[in-house]
CSV table of all heavy atoms in Angstrom, one decimal:
chain,number,residue,atom,x,y,z
A,103,GLU,N,0.8,-1.2,0.0
A,103,GLU,CA,0.0,0.0,0.0
A,103,GLU,C,0.9,1.3,0.0
A,103,GLU,O,1.8,1.4,0.7
A,103,GLU,CB,-0.9,0.0,1.3
A,103,GLU,CG,-1.9,-1.2,1.3
A,103,GLU,CD,-2.9,-1.2,0.3
A,103,GLU,OE1,-3.2,-0.1,-0.3
A,103,GLU,OE2,-3.5,-2.2,0.0
A,104,LYS,N,0.4,2.2,-0.8
A,104,LYS,CA,1.1,3.5,-0.8
A,104,LYS,C,0.6,4.3,0.3
A,104,LYS,O,-0.2,3.9,1.1
A,104,LYS,CB,0.9,4.2,-2.2
A,104,LYS,CG,1.4,3.5,-3.4
A,104,LYS,CD,1.3,4.2,-4.7
A,104,LYS,CE,1.8,3.4,-5.8
A,104,LYS,NZ,3.3,3.1,-5.7
A,105,ASP,N,1.1,5.6,0.5
A,105,ASP,CA,0.9,6.4,1.7
A,105,ASP,C,-0.5,6.9,1.8
A,105,ASP,O,-0.8,7.7,2.8
A,105,ASP,CB,2.0,7.4,1.9
A,105,ASP,CG,2.0,8.4,0.7
A,105,ASP,OD1,1.1,8.4,-0.2
A,105,ASP,OD2,3.0,9.3,0.7
A,106,GLN,N,-1.4,6.6,0.9
A,106,GLN,CA,-2.8,7.0,1.1
A,106,GLN,C,-3.5,6.0,2.0
A,106,GLN,O,-4.6,6.3,2.5
A,106,GLN,CB,-3.6,7.1,-0.3
A,106,GLN,CG,-3.1,8.2,-1.2
A,106,GLN,CD,-1.9,7.8,-2.0
A,106,GLN,OE1,-1.5,6.6,-2.0
A,106,GLN,NE2,-1.3,8.7,-2.8
A,107,TYR,N,-2.9,4.9,2.2
A,107,TYR,CA,-3.5,3.8,3.0
A,107,TYR,C,-3.6,4.2,4.5
A,107,TYR,O,-2.6,4.5,5.1
A,107,TYR,CB,-2.8,2.5,2.8
A,107,TYR,CG,-3.3,1.3,3.6
A,107,TYR,CD1,-4.6,0.8,3.4
A,107,TYR,CD2,-2.5,0.8,4.6
A,107,TYR,CE1,-5.0,-0.3,4.1
A,107,TYR,CE2,-3.0,-0.3,5.4
A,107,TYR,CZ,-4.2,-0.8,5.1
A,107,TYR,OH,-4.7,-1.9,5.9
A,108,HIS,N,-4.8,4.1,5.0
A,108,HIS,CA,-5.0,4.5,6.4
A,108,HIS,C,-6.2,3.8,7.0
A,108,HIS,O,-7.3,3.8,6.3
A,108,HIS,CB,-5.2,6.0,6.5
A,108,HIS,CG,-5.4,6.5,7.9
A,108,HIS,ND1,-4.5,6.4,8.9
A,108,HIS,CD2,-6.5,7.1,8.5
A,108,HIS,CE1,-5.0,6.9,10.0
A,108,HIS,NE2,-6.2,7.3,9.8
A,109,VAL,N,-6.1,3.2,8.1
A,109,VAL,CA,-7.3,2.6,8.8
A,109,VAL,C,-7.4,3.2,10.2
A,109,VAL,O,-6.4,3.4,10.9
A,109,VAL,CB,-7.0,1.0,9.0
A,109,VAL,CG1,-8.2,0.4,9.8
A,109,VAL,CG2,-6.9,0.3,7.6
A,110,HIS,N,-8.6,3.6,10.5
A,110,HIS,CA,-8.9,4.3,11.7
A,110,HIS,C,-10.1,3.6,12.5
A,110,HIS,O,-11.2,3.5,11.9
A,110,HIS,CB,-9.3,5.8,11.5
A,110,HIS,CG,-9.5,6.6,12.7
A,110,HIS,ND1,-10.2,7.8,12.7
A,110,HIS,CD2,-9.1,6.3,14.0
A,110,HIS,CE1,-10.2,8.2,13.9
A,110,HIS,NE2,-9.6,7.4,14.7
A,111,ARG,N,-9.8,3.1,13.7
A,111,ARG,CA,-10.9,2.4,14.4
A,111,ARG,C,-11.0,3.1,15.8
A,111,ARG,O,-10.3,2.6,16.8
A,111,ARG,CB,-10.6,0.9,14.6
A,111,ARG,CG,-10.6,0.2,13.2
A,111,ARG,CD,-10.7,-1.3,13.5
A,111,ARG,NE,-10.7,-2.1,12.2
A,111,ARG,CZ,-9.6,-2.6,11.7
A,111,ARG,NH1,-8.4,-2.5,12.3
A,111,ARG,NH2,-9.7,-3.3,10.5
A,112,PRO,N,-11.7,4.2,16.0
A,112,PRO,CA,-11.8,4.9,17.3
A,112,PRO,C,-12.4,4.0,18.4
A,112,PRO,O,-12.1,4.3,19.5
A,112,PRO,CB,-12.6,6.1,16.9
A,112,PRO,CG,-13.4,5.7,15.7
A,112,PRO,CD,-12.5,4.8,14.9
A,113,ASP,N,-13.1,3.0,18.0
A,113,ASP,CA,-13.7,2.1,19.1
A,113,ASP,C,-13.0,0.8,19.2
A,113,ASP,O,-13.4,-0.1,19.9
A,113,ASP,CB,-15.2,1.9,18.8
A,113,ASP,CG,-16.0,3.2,18.8
A,113,ASP,OD1,-15.7,4.0,19.7
A,113,ASP,OD2,-16.9,3.3,18.0
A,114,GLY,N,-11.8,0.7,18.5
A,114,GLY,CA,-11.1,-0.6,18.4
A,114,GLY,C,-11.9,-1.7,17.8
A,114,GLY,O,-12.8,-1.5,17.0
A,115,MET,N,-11.5,-2.9,18.1
A,115,MET,CA,-12.2,-4.1,17.5
A,115,MET,C,-11.9,-5.2,18.5
A,115,MET,O,-11.1,-5.1,19.5
A,115,MET,CB,-11.7,-4.5,16.2
A,115,MET,CG,-10.2,-4.8,16.0
A,115,MET,SD,-9.7,-5.3,14.4
A,115,MET,CE,-8.0,-5.7,14.7
A,116,ARG,N,-12.6,-6.3,18.3
A,116,ARG,CA,-12.4,-7.5,19.3
A,116,ARG,C,-11.1,-8.2,19.1
A,116,ARG,O,-10.4,-8.5,20.0
A,116,ARG,CB,-13.6,-8.4,19.2
A,116,ARG,CG,-13.4,-9.6,20.2
A,116,ARG,CD,-14.6,-10.6,20.0
A,116,ARG,NE,-14.5,-11.7,21.0
A,116,ARG,CZ,-13.7,-12.7,20.9
A,116,ARG,NH1,-13.0,-12.9,19.8
A,116,ARG,NH2,-13.7,-13.7,21.8
A,117,ASP,N,-10.7,-8.4,17.8
A,117,ASP,CA,-9.6,-9.3,17.5
A,117,ASP,C,-8.2,-8.5,17.6
A,117,ASP,O,-8.2,-7.3,17.6
A,117,ASP,CB,-9.7,-9.9,16.1
A,117,ASP,CG,-10.8,-11.0,16.1
A,117,ASP,OD1,-11.1,-11.5,17.1
A,117,ASP,OD2,-11.2,-11.2,14.9
A,118,PHE,N,-7.2,-9.3,17.7
A,118,PHE,CA,-5.8,-8.7,17.6
A,118,PHE,C,-5.5,-8.7,16.1
A,118,PHE,O,-6.0,-9.5,15.3
A,118,PHE,CB,-4.8,-9.6,18.3
A,118,PHE,CG,-4.7,-9.4,19.8
A,118,PHE,CD1,-5.7,-9.8,20.6
A,118,PHE,CD2,-3.6,-8.8,20.3
A,118,PHE,CE1,-5.7,-9.7,22.0
A,118,PHE,CE2,-3.5,-8.6,21.7
A,118,PHE,CZ,-4.5,-9.1,22.5
A,119,LEU,N,-4.5,-7.8,15.7
A,119,LEU,CA,-4.0,-7.8,14.4
A,119,LEU,C,-2.5,-8.1,14.5
A,119,LEU,O,-1.8,-7.5,15.3
A,119,LEU,CB,-4.2,-6.4,13.8
A,119,LEU,CG,-3.5,-6.2,12.4
A,119,LEU,CD1,-4.2,-7.0,11.3
A,119,LEU,CD2,-3.5,-4.7,12.0
A,120,ILE,N,-2.0,-9.0,13.7
A,120,ILE,CA,-0.6,-9.4,13.6
A,120,ILE,C,-0.1,-9.1,12.2
A,120,ILE,O,-0.8,-9.5,11.2
A,120,ILE,CB,-0.4,-10.9,13.9
A,120,ILE,CG1,-0.9,-11.2,15.3
A,120,ILE,CG2,1.1,-11.2,13.8
A,120,ILE,CD1,-0.6,-12.6,15.8
A,121,THR,N,1.0,-8.4,12.1
A,121,THR,CA,1.6,-8.1,10.8
A,121,THR,C,3.0,-8.4,10.8
A,121,THR,O,3.7,-8.3,11.8
A,121,THR,CB,1.4,-6.6,10.4
A,121,THR,OG1,2.3,-5.8,11.2
A,121,THR,CG2,-0.1,-6.1,10.6
A,122,LEU,N,3.5,-8.7,9.6
A,122,LEU,CA,5.0,-8.8,9.4
A,122,LEU,C,5.3,-8.0,8.2
A,122,LEU,O,4.8,-8.2,7.1
A,122,LEU,CB,5.3,-10.3,9.1
A,122,LEU,CG,6.8,-10.6,8.7
A,122,LEU,CD1,7.7,-10.3,10.0
A,122,LEU,CD2,7.1,-12.0,8.3
A,123,THR,N,6.1,-7.0,8.4
A,123,THR,CA,6.5,-6.0,7.4
A,123,THR,C,7.6,-6.6,6.5
A,123,THR,O,8.7,-7.1,7.0
A,123,THR,CB,7.0,-4.7,8.0
A,123,THR,OG1,5.9,-4.1,8.7
A,123,THR,CG2,7.4,-3.7,6.9
A,124,LEU,N,7.4,-6.7,5.2
A,124,LEU,CA,8.4,-7.2,4.3
A,124,LEU,C,9.2,-6.1,3.7
A,124,LEU,O,10.5,-6.3,3.6
A,124,LEU,CB,7.7,-8.0,3.2
A,124,LEU,CG,6.7,-9.1,3.6
A,124,LEU,CD1,6.0,-9.7,2.5
A,124,LEU,CD2,7.4,-10.1,4.5
A,125,ARG,N,8.6,-5.0,3.3
A,125,ARG,CA,9.4,-3.9,2.7
A,125,ARG,C,8.7,-2.6,3.1
A,125,ARG,O,7.5,-2.6,3.4
A,125,ARG,CB,9.5,-4.0,1.2
A,125,ARG,CG,10.4,-5.1,0.7
A,125,ARG,CD,10.5,-5.1,-0.8
A,125,ARG,NE,9.2,-5.2,-1.5
A,125,ARG,CZ,8.7,-6.3,-1.7
A,125,ARG,NH1,9.2,-7.5,-1.3
A,125,ARG,NH2,7.5,-6.4,-2.4
A,126,GLY,N,9.4,-1.5,3.1
A,126,GLY,CA,8.8,-0.2,3.3
A,126,GLY,C,8.5,0.0,4.8
A,126,GLY,O,9.1,-0.6,5.7
A,127,GLU,N,7.7,1.0,5.1
A,127,GLU,CA,7.4,1.4,6.5
A,127,GLU,C,5.9,1.7,6.7
A,127,GLU,O,5.3,2.3,5.8
A,127,GLU,CB,8.2,2.7,6.9
A,127,GLU,CG,9.7,2.5,6.9
A,127,GLU,CD,10.4,3.8,7.4
A,127,GLU,OE1,9.7,4.7,7.7
A,127,GLU,OE2,11.6,3.8,7.5
A,128,GLY,N,5.4,1.2,7.8
A,128,GLY,CA,4.1,1.5,8.2
A,128,GLY,C,4.1,2.1,9.6
A,128,GLY,O,5.1,2.1,10.3
A,129,TYR,N,3.0,2.6,10.1
A,129,TYR,CA,2.9,3.2,11.4
A,129,TYR,C,1.7,2.6,12.1
A,129,TYR,O,0.7,2.1,11.5
A,129,TYR,CB,2.8,4.7,11.4
A,129,TYR,CG,1.5,5.2,10.8
A,129,TYR,CD1,0.3,5.4,11.6
A,129,TYR,CD2,1.4,5.5,9.4
A,129,TYR,CE1,-0.8,5.8,11.0
A,129,TYR,CE2,0.2,6.0,8.9
A,129,TYR,CZ,-0.9,6.1,9.7
A,129,TYR,OH,-2.1,6.6,9.1
A,130,PHE,N,1.7,2.6,13.4
A,130,PHE,CA,0.6,2.2,14.3
A,130,PHE,C,0.4,3.2,15.4
A,130,PHE,O,1.4,3.7,15.9
A,130,PHE,CB,0.9,0.8,14.9
A,130,PHE,CG,0.8,-0.4,14.0
A,130,PHE,CD1,1.9,-0.7,13.2
A,130,PHE,CD2,-0.4,-1.0,13.8
A,130,PHE,CE1,1.8,-1.8,12.3
A,130,PHE,CE2,-0.6,-2.1,13.0
A,130,PHE,CZ,0.6,-2.5,12.2
A,131,ILE,N,-0.8,3.6,15.6
A,131,ILE,CA,-1.1,4.5,16.7
A,131,ILE,C,-2.1,3.8,17.6
A,131,ILE,O,-3.2,3.5,17.2
A,131,ILE,CB,-1.7,5.8,16.2
A,131,ILE,CG1,-0.7,6.5,15.3
A,131,ILE,CG2,-2.0,6.7,17.4
A,131,ILE,CD1,-1.3,7.8,14.6
A,132,ALA,N,-1.7,3.5,18.9
A,132,ALA,CA,-2.6,2.9,19.8
A,132,ALA,C,-2.7,3.7,21.1
A,132,ALA,O,-1.6,4.0,21.6
A,132,ALA,CB,-2.2,1.5,20.2
A,133,SER,N,-3.9,4.2,21.5
A,133,SER,CA,-4.0,5.0,22.7
A,133,SER,C,-3.1,6.3,22.6
A,133,SER,O,-2.5,6.7,23.5
A,133,SER,CB,-3.8,4.3,23.9
A,133,SER,OG,-4.7,3.2,24.1
A,134,GLY,N,-3.0,6.8,21.4
A,134,GLY,CA,-2.3,8.0,21.1
A,134,GLY,C,-0.8,7.9,21.0
A,134,GLY,O,-0.1,8.9,20.7
A,135,VAL,N,-0.2,6.7,21.1
A,135,VAL,CA,1.2,6.4,20.9
A,135,VAL,C,1.5,5.9,19.5
A,135,VAL,O,0.9,4.9,19.1
A,135,VAL,CB,1.7,5.4,22.0
A,135,VAL,CG1,3.2,5.2,21.8
A,135,VAL,CG2,1.5,5.9,23.4
A,136,ARG,N,2.4,6.6,18.8
A,136,ARG,CA,2.7,6.3,17.5
A,136,ARG,C,4.0,5.5,17.4
A,136,ARG,O,5.0,5.9,18.0
A,136,ARG,CB,2.9,7.6,16.6
A,136,ARG,CG,3.2,7.3,15.1
A,136,ARG,CD,3.4,8.7,14.4
A,136,ARG,NE,3.9,8.5,13.1
A,136,ARG,CZ,3.2,8.5,12.0
A,136,ARG,NH1,1.9,8.8,12.1
A,136,ARG,NH2,3.7,8.4,10.8
A,137,GLN,N,4.0,4.4,16.7
A,137,GLN,CA,5.2,3.6,16.5
A,137,GLN,C,5.4,3.3,15.0
A,137,GLN,O,4.4,3.2,14.2
A,137,GLN,CB,5.1,2.3,17.3
A,137,GLN,CG,5.1,2.5,18.8
A,137,GLN,CD,5.1,1.1,19.5
A,137,GLN,OE1,6.1,0.4,19.5
A,137,GLN,NE2,4.0,0.7,20.0
A,138,ILE,N,6.6,3.1,14.6
A,138,ILE,CA,6.9,2.8,13.2
A,138,ILE,C,7.4,1.3,13.0
A,138,ILE,O,8.1,0.8,13.9
A,138,ILE,CB,8.0,3.7,12.6
A,138,ILE,CG1,7.7,5.2,12.8
A,138,ILE,CG2,8.4,3.4,11.2
A,138,ILE,CD1,6.5,5.6,12.0
A,139,CYS,N,6.9,0.6,12.0
A,139,CYS,CA,7.3,-0.7,11.7
A,139,CYS,C,8.1,-0.7,10.4
A,139,CYS,O,7.7,-0.1,9.4
A,139,CYS,CB,6.2,-1.7,11.7
A,139,CYS,SG,4.9,-1.4,10.5
A,140,ARG,N,9.2,-1.4,10.4
A,140,ARG,CA,10.0,-1.5,9.2
A,140,ARG,C,10.2,-2.9,8.8
A,140,ARG,O,9.8,-3.8,9.4
A,140,ARG,CB,11.4,-0.8,9.5
A,140,ARG,CG,11.3,0.7,9.9
A,140,ARG,CD,12.6,1.3,10.3
A,140,ARG,NE,12.5,2.7,10.5
A,140,ARG,CZ,12.1,3.3,11.6
A,140,ARG,NH1,11.8,2.5,12.7
A,140,ARG,NH2,12.0,4.6,11.8
A,141,ALA,N,11.0,-3.1,7.7
A,141,ALA,CA,11.2,-4.4,7.1
A,141,ALA,C,11.7,-5.4,8.2
A,141,ALA,O,12.7,-5.0,8.9
A,141,ALA,CB,12.1,-4.4,5.9
A,142,GLY,N,11.1,-6.5,8.4
A,142,GLY,CA,11.5,-7.5,9.4
A,142,GLY,C,10.9,-7.3,10.7
A,142,GLY,O,11.1,-8.1,11.6
């Protein structure tokens, strides 16, 4: 996904999400804390 990709769930969801980054960079924001995930 290019940088227009964005998911926002203000009420959360029941399940966990697990990801493995292969290339590029994504971000996660949980309870206001932003973290970056990179390849590997």
Side-chain angles (χ1 to χ4, degrees):
E103 301 292 339
K104 297 187 183 300
D105 60 7
Q106 294 84 9
Y107 177 65
H108 178 65
V109 175
H110 183 198
R111 296 194 182 98
D113 297 322
M115 62 178 182
R116 181 182 183 276
D117 289 339
F118 280 71
L119 175 68
I120 300 182
T121 72
L122 177 64
T123 298
L124 306 177
R125 292 185 299 278
E127 293 183 3
Y129 67 86
F130 287 86
I131 303 174
S133 298
V135 178
R136 180 185 174 99
Q137 298 185 70
I138 304 297
C139 58
R140 299 176 174 85

